[in-house]
Amino acid sequence: MKRRLITAALPYANGFIHLGHCAGAYIPADMYARFLRLNGEQTLFVCGSDEYGVAITISAEAEGVTPRDIIDKYHFANSEAFARLGISFDIYSRTSEPEHTRAAQEFFLDWLRKGLLVEREEGQFYDEVAKMFLPDRYVEGVCPNCGSDKARGDQCENCGAYYNQIELKNPRSKVSGQTPVIRKTKHWYFKLNEFQEAIEVYAESRAAYWKDNVMQQTRSWLKQGLAERAASRDLSWGVPVPLPDADGKVIYVWFEAVLGYISATKIWAQNQGTPEAWRDWWKKSDDNIYTAFLGKDNIVFHTIIFPIILMAADDYVLPAYVPANEFLNFEGQKFSKSRNWGVYARDFLQDFPEPAQIDALRYTIAANLPETRDSDFSWKDFQVKNNNELAAVFGNFVNRTAQFLHKYFGGAVPVLPERFAKLPEAWELLTDDLKREPLGREESRAKYESKHLRYFNPDEFAVLSALEFGTRRIAECYHSFRLREALLETMNVARAANKFFNDAAPWKTVKTDPDQCAKTLYVCAQLVRSLAVMFAPVTPNSSAEALRMLNTDSYTGEPDAKAAGVNRWNDVLHPLLAQGAMTAPPKILFGKIEDATVEKQLSKMGTATAAETVTEEELLGIDDFRKIQLRTAKVIAAERVPKSEKLLKLRVEIAGKERQILAGIAKFYTPEEMTGKTVVVAANLKPAKLMGLESQGMLLAANDDEGNLALVTLEREMPSGAEVR
RNA sequence: GCCGAAGUAGCUCAGUCGGUUAGAGCAACGGAAUCAUAAUCCGUGUGUCGGGGGUUCAAAUCCCUCCUUCGGCACCA
């Protein structure tokens, strides 16, 4: 039996996950995992937090806490969010686990033994006070290129030049403020280049299965050629390099984080009481199929770097499928942390805690998966999808069937009357016949129609063939990672079920032909069960609810060893509910989402309170404030700066003296309307160069979140050069 | 301004290795029905496939050009 290993990109434990992450990797991976488990396939779905790296130490310092505090905060928050979203990991681990350290170190030593690492010494800035080597973002100094004193690390903010850290003039450590010294430091470089050809062969062998965007990014990297890459860093926060002379050195995240998939699997195996079982999943075998879900920012790590690591280690499985998604936008705009544009999972869960609401989110995201290009999440769409699709089509069919059963059949699955007693057998025969027909050719149904009309009327025949063809089509979509289409096809089966209910009109036959009515509802009850299972990968909570209403097996694809081998997906085709079985009183599966709810969420978008980011220690004393000379200035001439979108070059007069100021206001003010205006400028700033022109001051204007801008002007006329305070 | 992506029905999107009357869901409109959360089912699209030009027997699909939008960069002292 095949073993299907699934990983979803490890989220970085330096922030909360948002719906973009969910759409990129976790929801599609979860749908796929649940689908496979419903099929009875052996499936292992692995993920965890990525918890090392410079960014985390920077956050820790900024907040005055330890890195451990940071990763605990985000690991537990994200882990809980995933659980509540119903992401059915077999294990959600973390890279700070000792087992991960062991695993990563083993790999490192193995590379060393195999001669894949080269040791090399180079100079780097060292802070003698803080006693640490300085990563690029911890040093600043004078740019060797343009002389700006705001240059940092390996790049100048002013002129954009890239250079080696040690070329920086007058370097200053951002940790201690002291001047760092240059010290030799040793690192291990991984010879990625030795795998150039092997990766090319591997990638091309997968060309038929990987999406265009995945292949193209991979090829473009390979085209540039793989080079040696440092596999270690001078850092305190990471997996230590396991060598005697390697104090203060950690394995670089490129070569460490992805191993989290493997260490997580090892921990899972230990928890199962079968510590060696991880090999069943990771060792190369014809039965092992590995699929890696991720966002487009992560492609080459999973098609080049990780495969190299796996190849280097011998007999590991390589990713067979890499379904990479594009990005999810929010209300038409890109996610932005600083602008608070986007929806965090935890915020959603706080406002929409109901299981059915979580299902509605999963459904909305699944229906809009950025499979081929960036797509959009909007609250209005969330409402529309919930109200007009989930509630109106799927929910409604479940409800009308349940209501009918309770109104006319005492809440039981109808017992088939004498004349339809053979229905279950006829159902099996019909399903068998339809199975032989290729998909996509509706006319092929016709040849069986007359044969089965002895047992089924045309409406019944139609709905059962919609079920059979739909189930196959959906399975095919899942297997080829067209999840959005899978969902659409699933909803189409629910539509066919509603159509059947309408066409069969049991509310009429209940009076005119009770036998026929019983038969109709018998079919409907079976369809409710089928639909609940078919929707389970997307709406597990509501599916379980519907199955519980039918007092039947409510499994919806969670990890469960006992589930392997039981093909519930296939069972969707069979009438498994027993005649006369009692059902629970109907419950509404999906409530409506009101306009007011949508408006409330919309109004929350983008309302980052700037005040929040001003912390105590940033408060200025009055003396500091006085250092800035604000003066009124009269604009005597203005013109656009050529080739610049935003800059206006202004000639201003301050108390009789002229100077030139560049201002980024061209999108909002024309040179003509600027001329003659009295504005407020910061008059004692160091001159700066913008687009090659000198700016001797800064003009004051108000900015809003959207980037709109309004000049600060005077309420009454004042001479130029007047002090503003 | 540079780089990248994209512009297909009112909306969200599919189709784009050239080939019959360009598709789906939602919305809208008309009808049927009333078991059901006014939920369902049926029917209805003269869409310049962003504009223009070219290649071709044939272009939404290839080439050129222009326009617009969205990212990234530059820039916003």
Side-chain angles (χ1 to χ4, degrees):
Chain A
M1 191 175 183
K2 300 276 185 214
R3 270 180 299 264
R4 299 195 183 256
L5 172 66
I6 300 168
T7 64
L10 308 177
Y12 199 42
N14 191 35
F16 297 113
I17 54 156
H18 57 75
L19 301 192
H21 296 119
C22 296
Y26 308 108
I27 284 182
D30 183 60
M31 286 170 66
Y32 185 63
R34 285 177 186 267
F35 169 76
L36 292 178
R37 295 195 193 104
L38 286 165
N39 264 285
E41 305 222 31
Q42 277 198 67
T43 305
L44 191 73
F45 182 17
V46 171
C47 193
S49 299
D50 169 12
E51 306 186 303
Y52 290 129
V54 197
I56 284 168
T57 57
I58 291 177
S59 291
E61 270 161 41
E63 292 183 30
V65 297
T66 64
R68 167 61 63 176
D69 292 332
I70 297 283
I71 64 169
D72 278 352
K73 171 177 166 189
Y74 292 112
H75 169 76
F76 291 114
N78 289 340
S79 171
E80 193 206 330
F82 283 135
R84 290 185 59 198
L85 286 170
I87 309 297
S88 62
F89 299 125
D90 285 85
I91 181 166
Y92 186 78
S93 184
R94 52 195 309 194
T95 60
S96 59
E97 288 281 352
E99 184 58 53
H100 177 74
T101 303
R102 269 198 295 280
Q105 290 180 337
E106 266 175 40
F107 270 91
F108 192 91
L109 291 173
D110 187 48
W111 300 330
L112 202 64
R113 271 196 300 275
K114 288 176 172 154
L116 293 171
L117 295 176
V118 225
E119 238 178 272
R120 214 179 289 142
E121 280 215 327
E122 59 177 12
Q124 202 179 350
F125 284 128
Y126 183 82
D127 185 326
E128 292 181 305
V129 179
K131 294 193 171 28
M132 65 183 283
F133 281 97
L134 296 170
D136 290 330
R137 44 218 296 194
Y138 277 73
V139 211
E140 59 185 16
V142 173
C143 172
N145 185 45
C146 72
S148 155
D149 65 348
K150 280 286 157 67
R152 60 172 106 174
D154 58 348
Q155 192 192 2
C156 172
E157 280 205 337
N158 189 48
C159 67
Y162 284 93
Y163 37 81
N164 192 322
Q165 190 193 83
I166 55 176
E167 291 173 41
L168 206 62
K169 294 179 201 156
N170 302 333
R172 198 166 60 253
S173 164
K174 289 179 88 171
V175 181
S176 65
Q178 300 298 305
T179 303
V181 297
I182 293 177
R183 228 186 234 194
K184 287 278 185 188
T185 178
K186 185 170 66 183
H187 282 294
W188 289 266
Y189 287 73
F190 195 109
K191 299 186 205 164
L192 293 178
N193 46 308
E194 290 197 356
F195 293 84
Q196 173 89 25
E197 199 179 327
I199 290 293
E200 278 171 6
V201 170
Y202 158 68
E204 290 307 325
S205 78
R206 303 307 301 164
Y209 305 98
W210 293 355
K211 286 196 294 188
D212 268 5
N213 60 340
V214 175
M215 278 314 291
Q216 260 151 26
Q217 266 212 45
T218 305
R219 282 182 181 136
S220 127
W221 262 56
L222 289 169
K223 204 171 155 191
Q224 288 175 43
L226 299 175
E228 287 180 358
R229 222 46 217 228
S232 58
R233 287 287 140 109
D234 291 300
L235 261 186
S236 56
W237 190 240
V239 173
V241 170
L243 293 172
D245 53 346
D247 274 0
K249 297 191 191 296
V250 300
I251 305 176
Y252 183 41
V253 289
W254 272 38
F255 298 92
E256 174 267 307
V258 280
L259 296 173
Y261 297 139
I262 296 172
S263 61
T265 311
K266 289 184 172 175
I267 292 167
W268 166 83
Q270 287 162 13
N271 294 347
Q272 302 289 301
T274 50
E276 292 303 307
W278 68 273
R279 294 175 193 279
D280 297 343
W281 298 90
W282 282 100
K283 290 298 175 168
K284 193 184 286 172
S285 143
D286 289 343
D287 287 333
N288 285 0
I289 300 168
Y290 171 28
T291 304
F293 283 86
L294 39 107
K296 66 177 167 188
D297 50 334
N298 248 323
I299 290 173
V300 289
F301 286 97
H302 292 80
T303 60
I304 296 179
I305 310 291
F306 193 36
I308 287 177
I309 290 174
L310 294 169
M311 280 177 186
D314 295 328
D315 62 270
Y316 274 75
V317 283
L318 303 180
Y321 303 100
V322 186
N325 279 309
E326 306 285 310
F327 291 149
L328 185 73
N329 292 327
F330 295 87
E331 303 289 349
Q333 289 179 50
K334 200 185 145 89
F335 171 85
S336 160
K337 191 175 180 176
S338 57
R339 281 170 48 238
N340 191 31
W341 196 261
V343 180
Y344 286 97
R346 62 204 300 266
D347 292 340
F348 177 89
L349 290 165
Q350 194 172 4
D351 292 352
F352 300 92
E354 302 293 327
Q357 296 173 319
I358 292 166
D359 281 353
L361 176 74
R362 292 174 57 109
Y363 180 85
T364 306
I365 288 179
N368 287 323
L369 285 180
E371 286 175 341
T372 51
R373 64 168 109 156
D374 291 358
S375 68
D376 198 46
F377 175 89
S378 78
W379 286 108
K380 185 70 198 163
D381 193 46
F382 172 65
Q383 180 195 30
V384 164
K385 289 266 184 328
N386 179 75
N387 293 1
N388 300 348
E389 297 184 31
L390 273 181
V393 182
F394 177 35
N396 181 234
F397 179 72
V398 173
N399 187 239
R400 70 200 297 202
T401 300
Q403 296 275 8
F404 206 98
L405 288 178
H406 279 265
K407 217 164 183 171
Y408 296 105
F409 292 92
V413 176
V415 176
L416 289 167
E418 190 59 35
R419 61 190 249 236
F420 297 127
K422 286 254 164 67
L423 187 80
E425 292 87 341
W427 184 310
E428 299 298 341
L429 290 174
L430 172 62
T431 302
D432 284 347
D433 274 349
L434 290 175
K435 266 186 190 158
R436 287 189 214 108
E437 288 305 307
L439 283 178
R441 287 193 316 178
E442 294 298 303
E443 67 270 24
S444 65
R445 291 186 340 203
K447 72 180 181 197
Y448 290 108
E449 192 161 357
S450 54
K451 173 178 171 187
H452 292 283
L453 282 183
R454 279 179 63 190
Y455 305 99
F456 297 103
N457 66 31
D459 295 331
E460 291 153 0
F461 182 82
V463 76
L464 291 182
S465 40
L467 176 66
E468 206 283 334
F469 285 108
T471 308
R472 264 155 71 196
R473 249 198 294 273
I474 295 160
E476 200 177 275
C477 289
Y478 275 111
H479 282 125
S480 48
F481 305 102
R482 301 194 314 270
L483 306 189
R484 216 169 39 186
E485 196 182 336
L487 183 54
L488 178 75
E489 291 290 351
T490 307
M491 197 47 98
N492 280 342
V493 176
R495 290 194 176 93
N498 271 314
K499 177 175 167 51
F500 172 66
F501 203 110
N502 272 35
D503 293 347
W507 59 90
K508 285 183 185 161
T509 58
V510 72
K511 293 174 192 131
T512 60
D513 185 353
D515 281 4
Q516 178 57 44
C517 180
K519 188 186 179 200
T520 300
L521 265 294
Y522 174 85
V523 172
C524 286
Q526 308 295 347
L527 288 174
V528 168
R529 197 194 71 85
S530 301
L531 284 170
V533 174
M534 295 165 87
F535 271 104
V538 189
T539 60
N541 301 315
S542 309
S543 285
E545 184 69 40
L547 292 169
R548 278 194 294 272
M549 249 159 69
L550 297 173
N551 288 316
T552 185
D553 175 14
S554 62
Y555 180 71
T556 51
E558 294 77 19
D560 178 358
K562 292 192 291 286
V566 184
N567 194 331
R568 289 175 175 79
W569 187 260
N570 193 50
D571 285 349
V572 151
L573 299 172
H574 308 299
L576 295 189
L577 294 178
Q579 301 178 40
M582 286 305 295
T583 68
K587 257 192 247 170
I588 297 289
L589 245 36
F590 301 98
K592 289 290 175 65
I593 291 165
E594 304 299 330
D595 290 348
T597 310
V598 168
E599 276 150 30
K600 192 178 154 204
Q601 291 300 325
L602 268 173
S603 70
K604 281 167 78 173
M605 299 282 290
T607 51
T609 43
E612 268 175 14
T613 59
V614 178
T615 54
E616 290 282 327
E617 62 266 14
E618 282 178 290
L619 293 176
L620 295 181
I622 187 72
D623 295 341
D624 286 324
F625 178 72
R626 289 228 170 91
K627 288 181 189 162
I628 304 167
Q629 279 181 30
L630 297 176
R631 294 292 169 89
T632 58
K634 187 132 185 148
V635 179
I636 50 186
E639 62 179 282
R640 294 195 69 111
V641 174
K643 305 205 173 189
S644 165
E645 193 174 294
K646 297 183 180 174
L647 285 179
L648 236 42
K649 184 169 82 177
L650 306 175
R651 193 96 214 137
V652 302
E653 177 258 310
I654 301 174
K657 287 184 189 152
E658 284 190 22
R659 58 166 90 182
Q660 169 173 297
I661 288 181
L662 297 178
I665 56 173
K667 278 189 177 172
F668 301 93
Y669 294 92
T670 63
E672 293 71 40
E673 63 183 313
M674 284 308 295
T675 310
K677 265 199 165 65
T678 300
V679 295
V680 178
V681 301
N684 59 339
L685 293 175
K686 282 182 195 160
K689 271 205 168 174
L690 298 172
M691 299 294 281
L693 299 167
E694 187 167 87
S695 180
Q696 302 153 321
M698 172 177 165
L699 185 151
L700 265 50
N703 293 287
D704 71 8
D705 289 333
E706 322 241 295
N708 292 314
L709 188 148
L711 276 181
V712 174
T713 55
L714 295 186
E715 210 245 338
R716 212 178 303 140
E717 271 306 305
M718 287 288 270
S720 76
E723 197 178 338
V724 178
R725 47 181 183 183

